[in-house]
């Protein structure tokens, strides 16, 4: 057997569903999600860990789907943009992106949103600089980032207002 | 507008349910925030095959042989195709246009046959069941390549003794343009001061986050080729595929669904994409090519790469008397098809000095071949170079005569009341607003306050700089851009509207969406023109089988040209609706209007019937209508600008930054832009076009550079090594507008997509030089990396 043909069976939870598949040893997590599970919301921008378009949550942490092998996700819990959308945890951030036009071509957006989801979990009240720092590993060619920072700030303010009212 | 409305002086803005000028969100963005977009790589289809390319490791090499038997036998391999195999179904092309007199290039093949002319040119293709298997097989090809002498440095490309890349062309000069207007020598002789400099704008590239992507599918049973393409101009692609594969128009459909960024990268014909189309034809099945990031850097077009020697003459009062400039640019081994690689240098000649009144101008531009990645049009073609040269010289001139940079611009910009006017280069301006833009910018940024702060901080050893840049931008191109030169690229666009039985409207249009908000703007215009809620309008773009013929989206034409076609079409549909409604309601079309999806009494606004009821009658009970009444609820209107070759826009930018004189690092503090794109259809979309464009310009000014060694090898072709702007280094940007509609269309909209990129580099470089002024140090190189700044300071 050539190394390229080597496969392993992995079992993991993806967006709440248990999934068991045979995968090539060399297959990256993001390729597994896209090609075997048809979860095409995670994108490939550089395949060497720089652009952030493939960012997904693995066991609650935002990781680069192109820097992790599928076999490494055996036993893990993976959440992609599809899962974040269905659960509604990001609904206000997604709405803020629409209202503020914080996306143009949309190719970076799933990764950007996944990174922002992690930021808002860690720091519910980030400053403008903190937001810029948090998304500094997610490349966006279209927006110039300003509108993204605005959108996140709008969410932070809205969440704070909502909490104060409750 | 009816004649009565026009007599009353009413405009579209007065329509009761106008969406024009409102920052409505983009209807088609919702799927993108949910990860439900459809980019080419997201498509699923049966029997899909994948192609990968062996690319030349040498910048120039003769292909003596390709041993492919091991690759053919590798797991999953369907076909190994050489250049000669591909050439049997796809003819070569030559990237020239007749209106660029003397422009020459050599035939270019989808896959190189005899010679590879840049490091990265495809020399063999492998089709396999997966991309990974195709790449595995690529590694098994033994290529017998004989390295040939390379021509890399554009400065020596024309020297005797430099290898000529295409012997049959005689030399390495692709194109030359000269211009001599007024009395340049006299103006320099009589000047109070003459300033000069050599400006260098490095090669950079688009780095669209979604790489170039294509799936081609030849269905032998239908005799139809369907091309799913991440592209800006589907009809252009259709025409070129027809021409080079020898297929009739009816046999080729190009579909552009979601496109992950374009910026001019995805408007050119790429050899590897044409090879993919040819392979689908040969294999009679879908074949996919997605560029990976490493091959993007050596196969996407590069941009810029200019060296400009320029000088400016000024009077003691600060009047610009003359500009002389000499531009040299290297375009790689081929002029890119079909738009050619001569356009950028031509634009530099046209645009340099453009905002100013002077009428003495001498220019030369030379475009040379070299063994590097092909260079072609990218966002703001030529503009950033022309603006950097002009604005750099203006700042030097101000310094030479001891005048404030804002004041010298105030004295020299073409006056707002002087239009229509013609620049020294011959370009025509319908109406610009430099004076208003400058004053608005200075107020927005509190210019005087910043100058005060700068002086105070300087005393404390903190070096901040303020940079200004005036710019003009080419938008709404007519056929003068490409059509007159023989390129079959549509200058006109059409919009077809269909009223559906429930009262909704389908709008099919030739302009395309890559995230700018094209579909949103078209929906806004159609909703306003017809009189329906925007949520009732569905826009269809990017499908040569489904939309009227059009040019797509490039050079800032979607809103200005597509928007006007949609407006005219919407008015025609409303007129047809009112004609039928008037019969049903026993009224007259003039007494009725369509508002919010309802037929209303025009004078009172009282509802008479819904569009859904009208649709029900017209589609399902036409028997109840008079025999001679024929409802036409599908209409098409086309638009092309005719009275000016281009609708020029204008604006001013400013950068405020701090230079660390020990490290050469630049910290961007704030950026401002005031621009005038005529009627603003959606303010938020325009502002975000400006902001995104500014950051792309900042990338060029400070970070982005395709670095080469003397053998023509790109040294930093990965995202880890090629620096792009990331969020933490970017400033907040304030955008303001002056509104001078073009009279060429009823809507009056001009383009806004390139303004940011046009002016930002000059504003940043001028700000750096302003910060360095106490040290008598000066940079005129882009990107102005820390090393360049330290060199200017004499520290390295």
């Amino acid at each position: 057997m050539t190394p390229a043909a080597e496969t392993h069976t992995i079992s993991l939870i993806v967006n709440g569903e248990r999934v068991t598949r045979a995968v090539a040893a060399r297959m990256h997590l993001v390729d597994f999600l896209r090609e075997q599970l048809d979860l095409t919301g995670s994108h490939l921008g550089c395949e060497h860990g720089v652009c952030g378009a493939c960012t997904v949550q693995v066991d609650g942490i935002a990781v680069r789907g192109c820097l992790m092998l599928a076999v490494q996700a055996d036993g893990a819990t993976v959440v992609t943009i599809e899962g974040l959308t269905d659960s509604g945890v990001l609904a206000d951030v997604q709405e803020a992106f629409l209202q503020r036009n914080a996306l143009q071509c949309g190719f970076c957006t799933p990764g950007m949103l996944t990174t922002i989801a992690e930021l808002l979990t860690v720091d519910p009240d980030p400053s403008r600089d903190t937001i810029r720092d948090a998304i500094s590993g997610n490349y966006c060619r279209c927006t110039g980032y300003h509108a993204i920072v605005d959108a996140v700030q709008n969410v932070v303010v809205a969440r704070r207002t909502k909490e104060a009212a409750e | 507008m009816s004649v009565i409305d026009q007599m009353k002086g009413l405009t579209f803005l007065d329509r009761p349910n106008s969406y024009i000028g409102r920052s409505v969100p983009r209807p088609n963005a919702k799927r993108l925030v949910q990860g439900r977009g459809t980019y080419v790589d997201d498509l699923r289809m049966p029997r899909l095959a994948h192609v990968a390319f062996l690319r030349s490791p040498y910048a120039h090499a003769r292909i003596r042989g390709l041993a492919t038997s091991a690759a053919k036998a590798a797991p999953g391999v369907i076909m190994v195709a050489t250049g000669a195999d591909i050439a049997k179904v796809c003819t070569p092309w030559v990237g020239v246009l007749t209106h660029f007199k003397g422009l020459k290039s050599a035939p270019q093949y989808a896959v190189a046959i005899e010679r590879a002319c840049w490091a990265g040119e495809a020399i063999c293709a492998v089709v396999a069941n997966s991309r990974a298997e195709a790449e595995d097989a690529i590694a098994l090809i033994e290529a017998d390549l004989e390295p040939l002498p390379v021509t890399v440095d554009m400065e020596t490309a024309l020297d005797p003794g430099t290898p000529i890349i295409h012997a049959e062309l005689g030399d390495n000069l692709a194109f030359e343009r000269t211009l001599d207007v007024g009395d340049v020598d006299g103006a320099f002789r009589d000047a109070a001061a003459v300033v000069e400099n050599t400006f260098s704008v490095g090669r950079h590239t688009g780095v669209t986050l979604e790489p170039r992507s294509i799936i081609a599918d030849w269905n032998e049973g239908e005799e139809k080729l369907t091309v799913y393409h991440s592209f800006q101009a589907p009809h252009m692609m259709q025409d070129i595929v027809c021409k080079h594969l020898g297929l009739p128009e009816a046999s080729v459909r190009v579909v552009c669904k979601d496109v992950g960024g374009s910026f001019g990268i995805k408007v050119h014909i790429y050899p590897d994409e044409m090879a993919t189309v040819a392979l689908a034809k040969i294999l009679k099945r879908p074949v996919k090519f997605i560029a990976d990031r490493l091959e993007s850097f050596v196969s996407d077009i590069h941009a810029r790469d200019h060296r400009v020697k320029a000088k400016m003459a000024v009077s003691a009062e600060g009047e610009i008397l003359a500009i002389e400039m000499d531009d040299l640019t290297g375009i790689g081994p081929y002029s890119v098809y079909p738009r050619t690689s001569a356009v950028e240098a031509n634009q530099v000649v046209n645009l340099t000095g453009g905002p100013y009144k002077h009428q003495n101008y001498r220019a030369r531009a030379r475009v040379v071949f070299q063994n590097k990645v092909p260079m072609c049009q990218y966002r703001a073609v030529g503009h950033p170079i022309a603006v950097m040269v002009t604005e750099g010289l203006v700042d030097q001139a101000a310094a030479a005569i001891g005048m404030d940079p804002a004041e010298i611009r105030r004295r020299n910009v073409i006056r707002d009341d002087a239009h229509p006017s013609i620049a020294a280069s011959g370009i025509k301006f319908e109406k610009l607003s430099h004076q208003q833009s400058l004053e608005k910018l200075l107020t927005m940024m509190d210019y005087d306050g910043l100058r005060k702060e700068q002086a105070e901080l300087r005393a404390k050893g903190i070096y901040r700089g303020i940079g200004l840049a005036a710019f003009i931008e080419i938008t709404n191109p007519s056929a003068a851009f490409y059509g007159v030169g023989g390129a079959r690229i549509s200058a006109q666009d059409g919009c077809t509207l269909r009223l559906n039985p429930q009262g909704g409207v389908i709008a099919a249009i030739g302009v395309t969406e890559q995230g700018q908000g094209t579909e949103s703007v078209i929906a806004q215009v159609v909703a306003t023109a017809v009189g329906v809620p925007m949520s009732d309008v569905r826009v269809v773009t990017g499908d040569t089988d489904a939309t009227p013929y059009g040019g797509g989206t490039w050079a800032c034409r979607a809103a200005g040209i597509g928007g006007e076609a949609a407006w005219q079409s919407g008015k025609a549909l409303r007129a047809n609706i009112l004609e039928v409604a008037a019969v049903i309601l026993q009224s007259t079309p003039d007494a009725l209007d369509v508002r919010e999806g309802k037929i209303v009494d025009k004078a009172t606004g009282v509802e008479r019937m819904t569009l859904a009821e009208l649709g029900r009658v017209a589609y399902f009970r036409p028997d109840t209508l008079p025999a001679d009444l024929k409802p036409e609820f599908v209409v098409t209107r086309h638009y092309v600008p005719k009275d000016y070759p281009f609708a020029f826009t204008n604006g001013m930018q400013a950068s405020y930054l701090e230079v660390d004189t020990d490290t050469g690092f630049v910290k961007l503090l704030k950026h401002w832009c005031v621009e005038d794109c005529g009627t603003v259809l959606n303010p938020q979309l325009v502002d975000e076009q400006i902001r995104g464009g500014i950051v792309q310009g900042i990338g060029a000014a400070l970070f982005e550079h395709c670095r080469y060694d003397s053998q023509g090898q790109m040294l930093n072709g990965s995202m880890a090594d090629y620096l792009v702007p990331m969020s933490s280094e970017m400033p907040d940007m304030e955008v303001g507008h002056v509104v001078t509609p073009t009279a060429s269309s009823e809507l009056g909209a001009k383009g806004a997509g390139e303004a940011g990129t046009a002016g930002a580099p000059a504003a940043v470089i001028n700000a750096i030089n302003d910060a360095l002024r106490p040290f008598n140090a000066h940079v005129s190189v882009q990107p102005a990396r820390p090393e360049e700044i330290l060199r200017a300071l004499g520290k390295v």
Side-chain angles (χ1 to χ4, degrees):
Chain A
M1 190 166 68
T2 63
E6 182 186 332
T7 61
H8 297 267
T9 298
I10 60 169
S11 186
L12 63 164
I13 295 171
V14 180
N15 297 333
E17 291 175 32
R18 177 157 295 282
V19 169
T20 302
R21 292 284 194 283
V23 298
R26 64 179 178 175
M27 178 170 263
H28 288 99
L29 176 61
V30 64
D31 290 323
F32 169 71
L33 294 169
R34 288 182 53 84
E35 303 306 327
Q36 295 213 15
L37 304 185
D38 286 336
L39 293 166
T40 54
S42 305
H43 298 142
L44 283 164
C46 72
E47 299 178 78
H48 50 269
V50 183
C51 78
C54 63
T55 306
V56 294
Q57 276 185 9
V58 178
D59 293 334
I61 295 168
V63 303
R64 308 269 153 145
C66 73
L67 291 186
M68 185 169 174
L69 295 168
V71 292
Q72 292 175 291
D74 188 24
T77 297
V78 175
V79 183
T80 68
I81 186 65
E82 289 89 345
L84 292 169
T85 301
D86 289 348
S87 71
V89 292
L90 269 182
D92 57 346
V93 185
Q94 289 166 315
E95 183 60 24
F97 264 54
L98 291 178
Q99 292 299 329
R100 184 57 191 85
N101 201 48
L103 72 154
Q104 289 182 31
C105 81
F107 203 78
C108 75
T109 311
M112 192 70 82
L113 288 168
T114 306
T115 299
I116 290 164
E118 184 178 59
L119 164 70
L120 294 178
T121 307
V122 178
D123 180 358
D125 193 15
S127 67
R128 223 173 154 78
D129 280 348
T130 303
I131 298 166
R132 282 193 178 276
D133 194 43
I135 61 170
S136 67
N138 289 76
Y139 171 57
C140 169
R141 186 52 131 179
C142 302
T143 64
Y145 306 104
H146 182 121
I148 298 174
V149 180
D150 282 356
V152 178
Q153 275 205 314
N154 292 346
V155 170
V156 168
V157 170
R159 285 188 182 180
R160 211 185 309 146
T161 310
K162 194 167 165 233
E163 269 169 29
E166 278 168 0
Chain B
M1 293 293 109
S2 71
V3 176
I4 294 168
D5 284 342
Q6 284 170 355
M7 284 167 62
K8 285 185 197 158
L10 293 176
T11 72
F12 48 81
L13 296 171
D14 306 310
R15 282 195 50 76
N17 63 324
S18 178
Y19 290 92
I20 292 171
R22 284 172 51 191
S23 291
V24 289
R26 292 158 50 205
N28 61 354
K30 194 169 178 179
R31 66 171 182 263
L32 303 180
V33 300
Q34 298 185 354
R36 292 294 198 93
T38 311
Y39 305 92
V40 170
D41 201 20
D42 301 338
L43 292 165
R44 297 292 180 260
M45 51 188 73
R47 294 211 308 143
L48 180 67
H50 302 255
V51 61
F53 295 94
L54 175 64
R55 295 180 182 276
S56 173
Y58 299 110
H60 199 189
R62 189 175 318 285
I63 304 167
R64 285 198 295 225
L66 295 164
T68 59
S69 52
K72 280 175 179 161
V77 169
I78 297 163
M79 184 185 190
V80 177
T82 63
D85 296 330
I86 304 279
K88 284 174 196 158
V89 290
C90 180
T91 58
W93 52 84
V94 182
V96 295
L97 287 168
T98 55
H99 64 315
F100 292 113
K101 202 162 168 275
L103 172 61
K104 63 191 189 227
S105 189
Q108 187 178 6
Y109 288 83
V111 171
I113 297 178
E114 289 175 7
R115 275 188 312 147
C117 290
W118 82 88
E121 184 172 10
I123 58 174
C124 193
V126 174
V127 185
N129 284 317
S130 72
R131 169 73 184 228
E133 286 172 326
E135 289 187 21
D136 290 343
I138 287 285
L140 301 175
I141 297 172
E142 286 179 39
D144 181 6
L145 303 175
E146 174 195 350
L148 297 171
V150 293
T151 298
V152 175
D153 184 0
M154 63 185 182
E155 294 282 358
T156 57
L158 300 177
D159 291 354
T162 298
I164 295 169
I165 296 176
H166 305 292
E168 71 274 24
L169 299 181
D171 56 27
N172 288 325
L173 183 67
F175 178 66
E176 178 167 10
R177 182 182 169 199
T178 57
L179 194 65
D180 197 345
V181 178
D183 179 13
V184 174
D185 293 330
F188 275 99
R189 193 177 52 238
D190 301 336
V194 171
V195 291
E196 59 189 306
N197 208 339
T198 299
F199 299 89
S200 168
V201 179
R203 251 179 190 251
H204 46 272
T205 184
V207 200
T208 59
L209 186 51
E210 180 209 27
R212 289 187 296 106
S213 307
I214 189 167
I215 296 174
D217 183 12
W218 171 252
N219 184 322
E220 184 92 342
E222 285 188 308
E223 293 196 6
K224 185 144 189 180
L225 183 72
T226 306
V227 179
Y228 301 91
H229 201 184
S230 181
F231 204 62
Q232 298 168 234
H235 280 107
M236 183 195 101
M237 181 66 178
Q238 179 197 32
D239 191 76
I240 282 170
V241 167
C242 287
K243 179 175 177 184
H244 293 282
L245 272 79
L247 293 169
E249 222 159 32
S251 286
V252 180
R253 176 186 179 202
V254 178
V255 180
C256 302
K257 290 175 176 273
D258 289 316
V259 174
S262 53
F263 319 111
I265 296 299
K266 296 172 179 172
V267 77
H268 309 293
I269 293 303
Y270 287 93
D272 45 22
E273 295 179 6
M274 290 300 281
T276 304
V277 174
L279 287 163
K281 181 80 169 39
I282 293 168
L283 293 168
K284 305 182 181 67
R285 63 192 287 181
V287 179
K288 174 159 83 173
F289 170 64
I290 311 287
D292 75 23
R293 185 56 60 191
L294 300 182
E295 64 186 340
S296 294
F297 276 107
V298 293
S299 63
D300 289 8
I301 58 115
H302 288 177
R304 322 305 186 213
D305 205 4
H306 290 253
R307 185 277 290 141
V308 184
K309 292 178 181 167
K311 59 181 185 174
M312 177 180 277
V314 281
S315 73
E317 294 73 38
E319 187 192 353
I320 298 170
L321 303 172
I323 296 175
E324 182 171 1
M325 72 96 170
D326 180 26
D327 179 23
L328 178 67
T329 180
I331 59 163
Y334 297 101
S335 170
V336 174
Y337 188 62
R339 290 164 195 257
T340 85
S341 304
V343 172
E344 178 151 277
N346 193 58
Q347 307 261 66
V348 174
V349 171
N350 283 341
L351 298 170
T352 298
Y356 300 110
K357 287 181 284 192
H358 71 102
Q359 287 294 325
N360 302 304
Y361 179 42
R362 183 181 293 145
R364 177 173 73 157
R366 286 172 302 160
V367 177
V368 301
F369 293 117
Q370 53 188 174
N371 295 111
K372 289 184 179 179
V373 172
M375 190 286 283
C376 201
Q377 280 78 282
Y378 165 64
R379 193 175 199 172
V381 187
H383 294 65
I385 297 126
V387 178
M388 185 196 182
V389 168
T390 308
E391 298 303 298
L393 289 175
V394 167
D395 269 17
Q396 284 180 251
I401 58 168
M403 186 174 281
D404 181 84
E407 181 58 26
I408 193 169
R409 287 174 173 83
R410 192 176 277 131
R411 291 185 184 199
N412 283 285
V413 289
I414 300 173
R415 296 177 53 84
D416 294 357
D417 62 8
H419 299 288
S421 65
I422 298 178
S425 71
I427 53 177
K428 298 185 177 77
F429 305 124
E430 178 196 9
K431 191 155 176 36
L432 301 178
S433 59
H434 292 302
Q435 290 175 299
Q436 287 177 77
S437 299
L438 176 60
E439 297 313 323
K440 184 162 188 169
L441 180 89
L442 297 175
T443 304
M444 262 168 59
M445 66 190 286
D446 184 17
Y447 183 75
D448 296 336
L450 282 186
R451 283 284 177 216
K452 192 159 163 282
E453 180 179 277
Q454 177 191 34
E456 288 165 5
L457 290 172
R458 200 171 275 183
K460 296 177 189 166
I462 294 170
Y463 296 94
R464 292 192 172 178
I466 301 164
L468 301 176
F471 64 89
I472 53 174
E473 187 205 336
I474 292 173
T475 82
N476 294 7
S478 72
F481 213 143
Y482 293 113
V484 298
R488 292 162 61 87
I489 299 169
S490 174
Q492 63 85 53
D493 255 274
C495 177
T496 296
L497 300 180
R498 182 179 82 207
L499 179 72
N500 282 336
Q502 292 183 13
V505 176
I506 302 279
I509 191 157
V511 292
T512 53
E513 169 84 85
Q514 296 89 34
Q516 306 91 330
T518 304
E519 291 185 0
S520 177
V521 164
I522 298 305
Q524 287 177 258
V525 170
V526 168
T528 304
V530 178
V532 295
M534 200 175 142
S535 55
D536 284 353
V537 180
R538 171 73 66 176
V539 180
V540 177
T541 64
D543 185 340
T544 56
D545 270 9
T547 72
Y549 207 87
T553 296
W554 44 270
C556 281
R557 65 189 300 284
I561 295 176
E564 183 69 10
W567 174 249
Q568 296 298 339
S569 198
K571 287 201 311 175
L573 179 60
R574 179 154 51 96
N576 290 6
I577 288 169
L578 291 176
E579 188 190 340
V580 179
V583 172
I584 296 172
L585 297 169
Q586 297 183 320
S587 179
T588 61
D590 268 1
L592 301 169
D593 196 6
V594 188
R595 293 175 194 166
E596 292 291 341
K598 299 174 185 73
I599 312 289
V600 300
D601 186 271
K602 190 176 201 166
T604 65
V606 171
E607 179 182 331
R608 301 291 302 275
M609 72 190 299
T610 62
L611 280 181
E613 175 61 9
L614 181 76
R616 185 190 69 80
V617 173
Y619 284 105
F620 307 126
R621 295 302 308 276
D623 57 302
T624 63
L625 297 175
D628 60 345
L629 182 67
K630 295 187 172 59
E632 289 291 352
F633 288 165
V634 175
V635 299
T636 300
R637 290 294 182 275
H638 293 84
Y639 174 70
V640 65
K642 279 191 173 159
D643 41 2
Y644 283 86
F646 310 99
F648 274 93
T649 68
N650 66 278
M652 294 274 173
Q653 291 193 33
S655 168
Y656 189 45
L657 53 74
E658 187 172 308
V659 178
D660 182 328
T661 54
D662 293 323
T663 64
F665 274 66
V666 170
K667 183 171 173 50
L668 300 166
L669 301 169
K670 190 84 189 264
H671 200 102
W672 297 264
C673 178
V674 171
E675 71 90 53
D676 184 347
C677 63
T679 304
V680 177
L681 300 176
N682 183 322
Q684 180 161 264
L685 293 185
V686 170
D687 287 358
E688 296 318 315
Q689 279 299 298
I690 300 292
R691 289 197 174 96
I694 288 170
V695 166
Q696 236 162 340
I698 289 172
L702 296 179
F703 308 113
E704 298 185 44
H705 196 197
C706 299
R707 306 185 72 180
Y708 275 86
D709 70 9
S710 62
Q711 292 306 302
Q713 294 289 336
M714 185 173 170
L715 299 173
N716 60 337
S718 82
M719 280 198 73
D721 297 312
Y722 179 96
L723 300 182
V724 289
M726 300 301 274
S727 61
S728 47
E729 292 86 25
M730 289 304 108
D732 279 347
M733 295 160 273
E734 208 174 311
V735 182
H737 301 279
V738 174
V739 177
T740 309
T742 173
S744 298
S745 68
E746 278 182 43
L747 279 182
K750 300 182 255 189
E754 306 181 275
T757 309
V764 169
I765 299 292
N766 279 353
I768 291 171
N769 287 325
D770 190 47
L772 297 180
R773 205 156 313 247
F775 303 94
N776 202 23
H778 197 93
V779 294
S780 48
V781 175
Q782 286 183 45
R785 294 177 293 126
E787 184 186 337
E788 299 292 346
I789 291 168
L790 291 177
R791 189 175 296 134
L793 286 164
K795 295 191 177 180
V796 291

